[in-house]
Each structure stands twice: as C-alpha cells, then as structure tokens.
C-alpha cells in the first residue's frame, strides 16, 4: 500500500512538472522506469507452477509484457528528443550549378488516368526544365503507358522481366539515367510544385544521402471512411511523428516514395536491395550503415491514396511485416556494425513493433482462457497484483500523455493493433518458418457500388468476441461455485470488456461502405474566387470555389442558379488561363462543373491547381 501511494504521488508530481516545463520530463521517465522495472521483476516471481499449461501461459504473458516494456522504453527514448531541422532551400546552390534531378515514377498495374496526374504534377514542379527529367518506370510494360509518356514528353522505361519487383525496377532505371539526384514516387503520389524547393537544399551537405517526406493521403483511410471522419489517418503517427523522432538520431526510414536521393551513394551500396519485399527500409538501413545522413522534412509535399478497405490495408501490412523481417534477417547482421547505438535501438524498435501483434493476441486470449477454463496464470494475491500494477499502468499512461503527439491515443492504438493482430501474427509465423506467400501490391482507386461485409477478414475478431461473451458466463458459473474469487473475476472481466470494445470496432469497420468514386472530394479550408465565362470571349464573373475533385469542381451561387445542366462554360483560377467545362449538377447552393477532353496544355494548367489544393481530410496538428 505504501509503495503504491508513494509511487502514484511521485508520478503525479513529476507529470505536472513535465507538463509545465519539458525539461522536467526526464524525472517523469526516471520515476516511471523504476516503477516499471520493479513491477516486471516482481512478475517473474509470480509464475504459476500448478500445471504445465499454467506455466506455459504464465511465460507467454510475461513475454508479452516484456515486449510491451521494451517498446515503451524505446518510445521514451525516441520521443524525449526534439528534431531541430534548419530549413534549407536551393539558394545554397547559387554559386554552383543546380544538380540534375531524375524523377522515377514506379508503376506496375495502376490505371493510366491515375498515373497521368502524378506524371503531369512531376513535370509541373518548380525546377529548370533542362535539369529535370521525368521517367515512368513501368514494370507492367504496357503500350498505353508508353503512349502516355510520349504524349507528355517524358521517358518510358521498361524491362524484360520483373525480377526484384520494385527494387529491381528502380535499379534498372538507375542504370538508364544520368542525374545527380533522383526522386522516387509511387504512381499515386502527386507531388506539389514546391517539392524540390523544400528538399533540394539539404544536399549541399555532402553527408546527406536522402531527404524523406511523409506519406500523406487525400482520401480517407478505412477507419475514417467506415467509422469516424474526424480522426487522423492511422499512418500519421508513424509517417509524421515517429519519423521525426527517428530523424533526431539520424534513423529516419525511407518509406518507398516521396524521397530524394543522392544517386552516387545509392550506387555505392549496390543499389536498392532485392532480398526483401520492403526494399525501402533496406536502402535506408544500408545508407545509415555507411554513416550517411537521412533528413526528414515533415511537410505535406506529395499526396497519395490510402488503402481504402480492410482487405487492402491487411495486404499492405502483411507485406510490410514480412519485408521488415526479411531485411532484419538478411541485412541487419552486417549493416548493424556501421550504426550507432541510438540507430540500432530505433531499428530494433521498428522490428519489435511487428511482434507486438503476437503480444496483442496474448492479451486478447488471456482473460478468455482464465474465465472459460479457470486456469491460474499468475501465482500472486490480487492485493499484491493491484498494488504493483496500478502504479505501473498509470506511469505508462502518463508518459504516453506527456510525450505522445496528437495523432495517437491509447484507445486508438488498442483498436489499430487489435485490427491487425490475428493476421499479422500469422504473417510473422509464416515468415519465420519460411513459407512462401504471394506478393500483393496495394490496390489503388478501388470502387464498390454496393456496401459489403468483409467476413473472412474479420472472422477471427468475431470468434474472439463470441468467446469473450461465453467467458463472461462461464466465469460467473466458476464464481458461483467458488472455483475462482470475486477479485479475480472482476479483474479479468474488466480486461475482457476492454478487449471486446476494440473487437466490436474492428467488426464495425469491416462493413465496407460503397465507394462510388475513384478520388476523394477535396473541400477547401477557405473558398477561393474563380472566374467563369459563358462564352470564350465573354465577360467573366467571379464565384467562390468550395470543393475540388478528380475532374470536377464545385462553386457556390447565391439566389437563382445562373447556369443550366450541360451548359458549356469557361473556367479559370487566375483569370488568364481558361479551361472548358460543362455544368453537370446544380442545386440551391452549389454548381458542379465537369472538366472533359482537356488537351495537354490544359491538363498541365488543371494539375497545377489540383496539386496545389490537395490536402488530407484530417488537419494534422504537430505536438
């Protein structure tokens, strides 16, 4: 009792000091670390030897807690630091020639219409035309993509086979290009005009090997689309916050796209490693092992399409999981020798993250096993468990609250981890036992005209939810018959309810709402005035532009609608360059315009503004 009260008082005081001034965060961390170590050491004394099953389950539970504790310590280590990046523009090149930049747009089976937007946005980037080369690296070897490249005056690179997948595709392209730097973009990642302005200047430092910007998305992810639109994209925590924390110790991960590289350093490490399906992590690891620097520019400079369904998200995470394990198995033993201790810890944390799926499965199963089979897992009094566990869990909650950014909470971490846990546990086991698994490219522009329930994906969660409900009843019967005690029953019931909450959310988001449009509508934070004429040489009128989509725009009108359906009009952002459009919809407030049959010059104008107004559905706020 004395330890529990004293620990809670110290945690509370240190937390208040840490919130008042960040320099006191270290005291909160020290106190929490001592409490956590005290708890985990005590836990080793509570292993049950009453039966073989009890012993095995006890060991599994402690292993899960150790994984969580390791993750928590690395979380403290990473987020205690602040990344102080000094902004650099390409002005540092004023006394020397600007480097030649090759843009490599990697594609396999994405639609020409999707690729066309990325291609034209890349051509529209602010950079001298004689210093910028755009290459479409087409591993699908499609004639229509070749025609698209010729139409817009960029280069089309293909190869006879697809050996090495994306890594092989990039390596092949590097053998055909001569630029000093190269920018890697996925087919759906639309760069903003200022991308090179914001990233190029860091290469004035000869030790910089690559500059990474975050993956951000202009459509909703499956949680935002199927559950709540007012939450961050579930990748924001890693892509924005974890990456910035890693950058503080020169351990930023290359995430496969939106990164500018110094070509000679990538060639020095032998190009992109082809031993893994996550070549991006591998190339970053090898460059760090050579003591080169990776810079992270935490700005939205390119926008892509997030996985829209539970199935698509799972395919993506399965690939990332297995690829990270492959990298650590094949490249880590040698590469780690060139890393600092801080970098090793950051990469170890990245590996440990995937094993947290096994940890989550253990946490989901333990209260069920206890309440259904009355198997003793912890050999200790409930009083001792509560007195030591409460300071331990309160300490972790306070640390998370003090150090974590606004893109993640304990509740949402629990939901996200539960959603992936059953499937990624299987992925880990398959990779560890070297079972062959098909390679999946994350689908883009998915369309479903009718809603449907993804039963196969969420079946493990349904089974766990049903077992939880069954366990409540069987646990009650054990309690009535004196087989288990009331405190044990209540503790496991609370644990089970906490788990069931996440399972229900996972089941809920498994119902995929209809997706009847390829791109998401972009609502502007503040409407801008655009000019509209009813004839090519007529007088222009101004209207406020409220939203923007793939080939559509929505303007507001007041009073009676001045246009008719299917009427042709001329639309302009700047009052100089006009695009032909037709009125596709009208209502009491808005007029929707449809752009069609734009020629190459007009499409360049269109994409100039489309890329400028792209934004994420959720407004990211940095802590």
């Amino acid at each position: 009792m004395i330890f529990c009260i004293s620990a809670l008082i110290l945690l509370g005081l240190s937390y208040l000091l840490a919130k008042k001034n960040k320099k006191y965060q270290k005291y909160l961390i020290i106190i929490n670390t001592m409490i956590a170590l005290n708890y985990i050491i005590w836990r080793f004394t509570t292993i049950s030897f009453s039966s073989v099953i009890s012993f095995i389950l006890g060991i599994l539970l402690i292993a899960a807690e150790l994984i969580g504790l390791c993750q928590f310590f690395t979380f403290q280590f990473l987020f205690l630091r602040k990344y102080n990046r000094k902004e650099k523009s390409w002005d540092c090149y004023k006394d020397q020639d600007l480097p030649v930049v090759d843009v490599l747009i990697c594609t396999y089976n994405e639609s020409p219409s999707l690729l066309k937007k990325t291609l034209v946005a890349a051509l529209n980037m602010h950079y001298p035309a004689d210093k910028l080369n755009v290459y479409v690296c087409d591993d699908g070897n499609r004639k229509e993509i070749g025609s698209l490249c010729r139409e817009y005056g960029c280069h089309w690179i293909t190869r006879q086979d697809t050996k090495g997948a994306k890594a092989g595709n990039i390596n092949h392209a590097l053998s055909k290009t001569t630029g000093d730097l190269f920018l890697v973009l996925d087919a759906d990642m639309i760069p903003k005009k200022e991308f090179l302005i914001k990233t190029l200047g860091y290469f004035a430092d000869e030790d910089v090997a690559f500059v990474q910007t975050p993956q951000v998305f202009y459509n909703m992810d499956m949680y935002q689309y199927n559950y709540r639109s007012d939450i961050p994209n579930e990748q924001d925590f890693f892509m924005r916050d974890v990456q910035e924390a890693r950058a503080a110790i020169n351990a930023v991960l290359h995430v496969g796209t939106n990164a500018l590289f110094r070509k000679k350093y990538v060639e020095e490490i032998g190009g992109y490693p082809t031993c893994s399906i996550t070549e991006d992590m591998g190339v970053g690891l090898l460059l760090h092992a050579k003591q080169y620097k990776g810079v992270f520019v935490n700005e939205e400079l390119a926008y892509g399409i997030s996985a829209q369904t539970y199935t698509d998200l799972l395919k993506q995470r399965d690939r990332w999981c297995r690829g990270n394990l492959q990298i650590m198995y094949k490249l880590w033993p040698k590469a780690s020798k060139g890393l600092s201790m801080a970098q090793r810890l950051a990469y170890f944390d990245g590996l440990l993250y995937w094993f947290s799926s096994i940890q989550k499965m253990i946490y989901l199963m333990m209260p069920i096993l206890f309440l259904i089979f009355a198997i003793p897992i912890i050999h200790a009094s409930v009083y001792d468990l509560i007195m030591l566990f409460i300071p331990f869990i309160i300490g972790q909650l306070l640390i998370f609250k003090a150090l974590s950014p606004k893109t993640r909470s304990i509740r949402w971490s629990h939901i996200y981890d539960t959603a992936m846990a059953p499937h990624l546990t299987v992925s880990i086991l398959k990779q560890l036992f070297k079972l062959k698994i098909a390679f999946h490219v994350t689908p883009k522009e998915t369309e479903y005209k009718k809603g449907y329930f993804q039963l196969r994906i969420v079946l493990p969660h349904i089974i766990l939810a049903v077992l939880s409900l069954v366990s409540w009843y069987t646990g009650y019967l054990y309690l009535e018959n004196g087989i288990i005690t009331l405190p044990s029953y209540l503790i496991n019931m609370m644990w089970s309810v906490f788990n069931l909450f996440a399972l229900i959310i996972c089941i809920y988001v498994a119902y995929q709402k209809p997706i009847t449009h390829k791109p998401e509508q972009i609502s502007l934070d503040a409407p801008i005035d655009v000019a509209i004429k009813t004839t090519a040489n007529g007088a222009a009128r101004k209207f406020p532009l409220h939203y923007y989509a793939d080939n559509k725009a929505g303007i507001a009108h007041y009073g009676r609608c001045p246009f008719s359906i299917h009427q042709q009009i001329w639309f302009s952002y700047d009052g100089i360059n006009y695009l032909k459009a037709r009125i596709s919809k009208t209502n009491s407030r808005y007029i929707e315009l449809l752009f069609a049959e734009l020629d190459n010059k007009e499409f360049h104008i269109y994409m100039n503004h489309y890329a400028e107004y792209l934004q994420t559905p959720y407004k990211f706020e940095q802590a």
Side-chain angles (χ1 to χ4, degrees):
M1 177 67 80
I2 295 175
F3 171 80
C4 181
I5 294 173
S6 301
L8 291 175
I9 291 172
L10 289 172
L11 284 171
L13 290 174
S14 58
Y15 173 75
L16 292 174
L17 286 172
K19 291 296 286 184
K20 188 175 182 180
N21 192 322
K22 288 188 175 181
K23 72 178 183 180
Y24 295 117
Q25 287 178 343
K26 60 183 178 181
Y27 298 114
L28 176 61
I29 289 173
I30 291 170
I31 292 168
N32 178 69
T33 300
M34 294 173 62
I35 291 170
L37 289 174
N38 179 69
Y39 169 77
I40 202 68
I41 290 170
W42 172 78
R43 278 287 287 113
F44 276 96
T45 69
T46 66
I47 297 174
S48 175
F49 293 92
S50 60
S51 69
V52 173
I53 295 177
S54 292
F55 176 75
I56 293 173
L57 293 179
I59 292 296
L60 286 174
L61 184 56
I62 286 182
E65 290 181 282
L66 284 172
I67 290 173
L69 201 58
C70 288
Q71 283 186 302
F72 201 69
F73 285 152
T74 54
F75 171 83
Q76 292 177 153
F77 175 77
L78 290 174
F79 280 88
L80 188 60
R81 289 164 171 73
K82 184 171 178 60
Y83 182 43
N84 295 311
R85 171 181 59 86
K86 293 182 179 179
E87 289 190 21
K88 294 183 180 180
S89 71
W90 66 27
D91 290 344
C92 57
Y93 284 96
K94 59 187 177 183
D95 297 324
Q96 52 187 300
D97 290 335
L98 283 168
V100 175
V101 177
D102 295 327
V103 181
L104 308 182
I105 302 173
C106 303
T107 180
Y108 176 63
N109 60 0
E110 292 83 4
S111 70
S113 61
L114 177 71
L115 187 61
K116 180 179 175 180
K117 291 188 288 186
T118 301
L119 187 159
V120 173
L123 290 168
N124 283 344
M125 287 191 296
H126 289 314
Y127 206 66
D130 61 332
K131 297 284 187 178
L132 182 68
N133 302 306
V134 177
Y135 297 85
V136 174
C137 308
D138 178 22
D139 247 8
N141 199 6
R142 295 165 289 167
K143 291 182 180 179
E144 63 270 27
I145 302 302
S147 298
L148 181 68
C149 292
R150 288 188 292 273
E151 183 180 351
Y152 284 92
C154 67
H155 306 276
W156 181 44
I157 297 179
T158 63
R159 54 188 181 138
Q160 295 301 312
D161 56 47
T162 58
K163 187 177 181 181
K166 183 179 175 181
N169 191 11
I170 293 174
N171 289 337
H172 177 71
L174 293 178
S175 71
K176 302 292 183 182
T177 58
T178 58
D180 306 295
L181 307 175
F182 68 92
L183 168 63
V184 177
L185 292 173
D186 282 346
D188 64 307
M189 280 290 170
I190 299 172
K192 302 195 79 168
K193 290 181 286 187
E194 63 268 27
F195 190 102
L196 294 176
I197 294 175
K198 296 280 190 176
T199 57
L200 194 75
Y202 298 96
F203 289 93
D205 180 351
E206 277 296 318
D207 289 333
V208 171
F210 69 101
V211 176
Q212 178 70 59
T213 70
Q215 285 192 43
V216 291
F217 308 96
Y218 60 89
N219 69 319
M220 295 184 185
D221 67 25
M222 71 110 171
Y223 299 100
Q224 293 170 319
Y225 190 72
N226 292 331
Y227 182 51
R228 282 179 55 181
S229 61
D230 61 341
I231 57 174
N233 185 289
E234 57 96 24
Q235 289 196 51
D236 280 348
F237 177 60
F238 174 78
M239 292 293 178
R240 308 298 298 272
D241 298 306
V242 173
Q243 282 281 65
E244 190 162 271
R246 293 178 65 106
I249 53 173
N250 191 29
V252 61
L253 282 178
H254 171 38
V255 293
T257 184
N258 307 356
L260 188 62
F261 284 88
R262 197 187 301 270
K263 184 179 179 181
K264 66 179 181 180
Y265 291 165
V266 175
E267 291 177 332
E268 184 182 325
I269 62 171
Y272 272 60
T274 57
C275 61
S276 167
I277 54 178
T278 51
E279 71 297 321
D280 42 12
M281 178 190 174
V283 74
L285 172 63
L286 293 175
L287 289 169
H288 283 138
K290 288 283 188 179
Q291 274 105 55
Y292 293 127
K293 295 177 184 176
V295 175
F296 182 61
V297 177
N298 196 358
E299 297 183 40
E300 296 180 1
L301 296 176
Y303 293 86
I305 299 175
S306 180
Q308 291 180 284
T309 71
Y310 206 151
T311 303
D312 294 344
L313 182 64
L314 180 61
K315 288 177 182 178
Q316 182 189 70
R317 298 309 151 85
D318 169 71
R319 186 176 75 250
W320 291 358
C321 174
R322 293 186 290 115
N324 275 259
L325 294 179
Q326 290 168 0
I327 289 291
M328 299 305 286
Y329 175 72
K330 295 176 181 178
L331 297 182
W332 179 257
K334 184 177 179 180
S336 62
K337 296 176 183 177
L339 301 177
S340 67
M341 285 303 298
Q343 287 173 317
R344 291 180 189 179
L345 186 61
Y347 276 101
F348 172 74
D349 177 65
L351 173 67
L352 199 61
Y353 166 77
W354 299 106
F355 283 91
S356 66
S357 291
I358 296 177
Q359 174 208 34
K360 179 58 71 175
M361 284 303 297
I362 293 172
Y363 285 160
L364 290 170
M365 288 301 302
M366 285 301 168
I368 293 174
L369 292 173
F370 177 79
L371 293 171
I372 289 181
F373 300 107
I375 301 173
I377 300 171
I378 298 176
H379 181 65
S381 70
V382 172
Y383 177 83
D384 288 343
L385 179 61
I386 291 174
M387 289 299 105
L388 288 163
F389 181 75
I390 286 179
F392 170 70
I393 194 64
I394 294 295
Q396 294 199 41
L397 291 172
L398 292 178
I399 285 284
F400 194 88
K401 192 171 179 60
L403 300 183
S404 69
K406 296 179 181 179
T407 52
R408 190 57 55 96
S409 66
I410 291 288
R411 181 168 65 101
W412 279 104
S413 293
H414 178 45
I415 292 169
Y416 294 150
D417 292 346
T418 300
M420 293 292 111
H423 305 287
L424 292 187
T425 297
V426 174
S427 298
I428 291 169
L429 295 176
K430 284 183 176 179
Q431 188 59 47
L432 291 176
F433 289 105
K434 302 188 184 326
L435 300 176
K436 287 192 175 182
I437 312 169
F439 174 80
H440 296 289
V441 176
T442 305
K444 308 292 183 184
E445 296 190 302
T446 308
E447 287 188 80
Y448 297 102
K449 293 186 178 181
K450 292 184 178 181
Y452 69 100
F453 188 69
Q454 299 165 91
L455 177 62
R456 188 180 65 85
I457 295 298
V458 82
L459 186 59
H461 303 82
I462 294 173
I463 293 172
L464 287 168
V466 171
L467 288 175
S468 296
L469 296 175
V470 170
S471 72
W472 296 0
Y473 177 70
T474 55
Y476 175 74
L477 293 179
Y478 289 136
L479 178 64
E480 286 288 290
N481 289 281
I483 298 174
I484 61 175
T485 63
L486 179 60
S488 299
Y489 175 72
L490 293 176
I491 288 172
N492 281 276
M493 277 295 295
M494 287 189 290
W495 189 358
S496 182
V497 168
F498 179 67
N499 289 341
L500 185 63
F501 161 75
L503 291 168
I504 290 172
I505 298 298
C506 294
I507 295 167
Y508 181 85
V509 298
Y511 176 75
Q512 181 59 51
K513 295 178 181 178
I515 303 175
T516 56
H517 49 281
K518 290 184 179 180
E520 291 294 324
Q521 178 176 299
I522 303 161
S523 297
L524 303 184
D525 290 333
I528 61 168
D529 285 338
V530 294
I532 291 180
K533 299 190 295 186
T534 54
T535 62
N537 299 316
R541 293 176 59 185
K542 287 188 176 181
F543 291 85
L545 176 68
H546 276 258
Y547 67 85
Y548 203 28
D550 182 22
N551 60 344
K552 300 175 183 178
I555 59 174
H557 71 89
Y558 305 100
R560 185 179 177 185
C561 178
F563 306 110
S564 58
I565 298 292
H566 306 309
Q567 180 180 354
Q568 181 171 294
I569 56 101
W570 280 257
F571 173 96
S572 176
Y573 299 97
D574 54 16
I576 300 172
N577 298 294
Y578 281 85
L579 306 175
K580 288 178 290 186
R582 288 194 180 275
I583 306 300
S584 60
K585 289 181 185 178
T586 63
N587 59 32
S588 60
R589 293 183 59 200
Y590 293 108
I591 303 166
E592 188 171 87
L593 317 177
L594 177 65
F595 301 101
E597 300 177 2
L598 299 178
D599 62 28
N600 291 355
K601 180 181 177 181
E602 290 172 329
F603 195 75
H604 272 279
I605 296 170
Y606 170 82
M607 282 307 302
N608 244 331
H609 295 280
Y610 184 80
E612 181 179 351
Y613 297 129
L614 281 173
Q615 60 186 12
T616 58
Y618 174 88
K619 193 68 177 175
F620 175 81
E621 295 181 37
Q622 244 179 306

